[in-house]
């Protein structure tokens, strides 16, 4: 009987990563100030022009380089209402967005950082790396031109505008 309980416990532990992986690609929860709350799915992102970028950055394991494919974040947020904030760029620039990964990792960005009239930084919501789907990893936020990879978020599950 003890052997059966141990086996059941092992199977339960093995199932947790499978459930988390399926949830990762299920979508990205979008919420907050000035945007339509909802879930961004791979099908939603497929409606936007695809962008590919060769990206290199330093990690604690050394230099990481990859060719990422996905969509630019700014047009996605605009379509979901971000362009309809106060209308006054001084007020709009006071907003931030918080990106959260499936493991709880969080990174904050300013709206001005990605707004075309200001920082115009091309941040990518990637669905592929080196021609392979990120299905197992989940959506990945990629920040080209960052020297370090700390803001390249694996397994994005939510974006909240504040």
């Amino acid at each position: 009987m003890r052997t059966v309980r141990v086996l059941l416990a092992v199977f339960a532990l093995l199932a947790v990563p499978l459930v988390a992986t399926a949830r990762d690609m299920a979508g990205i929860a979008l919420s907050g100030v000035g945007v339509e709350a909802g879930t961004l799915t791979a099908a939603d992102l497929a409606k936007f022009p695809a962008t590919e970028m060769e990206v290199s950055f330093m990690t604690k394991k050394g230099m990481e380089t990859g060719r990422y494919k996905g969509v630019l974040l700014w047009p996605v947020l605009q379509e979901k209402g971000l362009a309809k904030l106060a209308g006054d760029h001084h007020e709009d620039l006071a907003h931030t967005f918080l990106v959260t990964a499936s493991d709880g990792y969080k990174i904050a960005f300013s709206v001005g950082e990605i707004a075309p009239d200001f920082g115009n930084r091309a941040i990518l919501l990637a669905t592929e790396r080196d021609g392979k789907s990120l299905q197992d990893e989940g959506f990945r936020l990629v920040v080209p031109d960052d020297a370090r990879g700390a803001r390249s978020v694996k397994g994005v599950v939510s974006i909240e505008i504040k």
Side-chain angles (χ1 to χ4, degrees):
M1 186 58 134
R2 178 180 159 105
T3 304
V4 171
R5 281 187 282 188
V6 169
L7 285 174
L8 287 174
V10 168
F11 286 132
L13 289 172
L14 291 175
V16 171
L18 296 176
V19 171
T21 299
R23 186 185 71 235
D24 290 346
M25 287 303 277
I28 299 170
L30 182 63
S31 64
V33 177
V35 292
E36 299 168 28
T39 302
L40 294 171
T41 65
D44 293 326
L45 298 181
K47 296 174 187 174
F48 293 90
T51 300
E52 289 190 50
M53 298 179 177
E54 186 77 26
V55 179
S56 295
F57 47 78
M58 183 59 73
T59 71
K60 60 185 172 186
K61 297 177 183 176
M63 187 60 76
E64 182 176 318
T65 300
R67 182 148 194 87
Y68 291 92
K69 182 177 181 181
V71 300
L72 295 175
L73 181 60
W74 179 254
V76 173
L77 294 180
Q78 271 194 309
E79 182 186 272
K80 294 299 182 179
L82 187 64
K84 299 172 191 154
L85 285 174
D88 174 2
H89 68 266
H90 296 290
E91 291 178 37
D92 292 349
L93 293 176
H95 293 282
T96 61
F97 59 98
L98 184 66
V99 178
T100 304
S102 57
D103 65 359
Y105 187 72
K106 295 179 182 191
I107 293 292
F109 296 86
S110 75
V111 168
E113 189 173 350
I114 64 170
D117 293 344
F118 295 94
N120 199 27
R121 176 164 266 187
I123 294 180
L124 190 70
L125 270 176
T127 56
E128 293 180 18
R129 178 180 176 183
D130 299 327
K132 296 178 184 163
S133 172
L134 293 176
Q135 178 71 36
D136 293 338
E137 180 180 306
F139 297 103
R140 185 167 184 171
L141 190 82
V142 178
V143 186
D145 302 324
D146 271 7
R148 299 196 56 84
R151 299 193 314 163
S152 181
V153 181
K154 294 179 182 179
V156 175
V157 294
S158 72
I159 299 173
E160 180 184 5
I161 310 297
K162 296 183 175 221

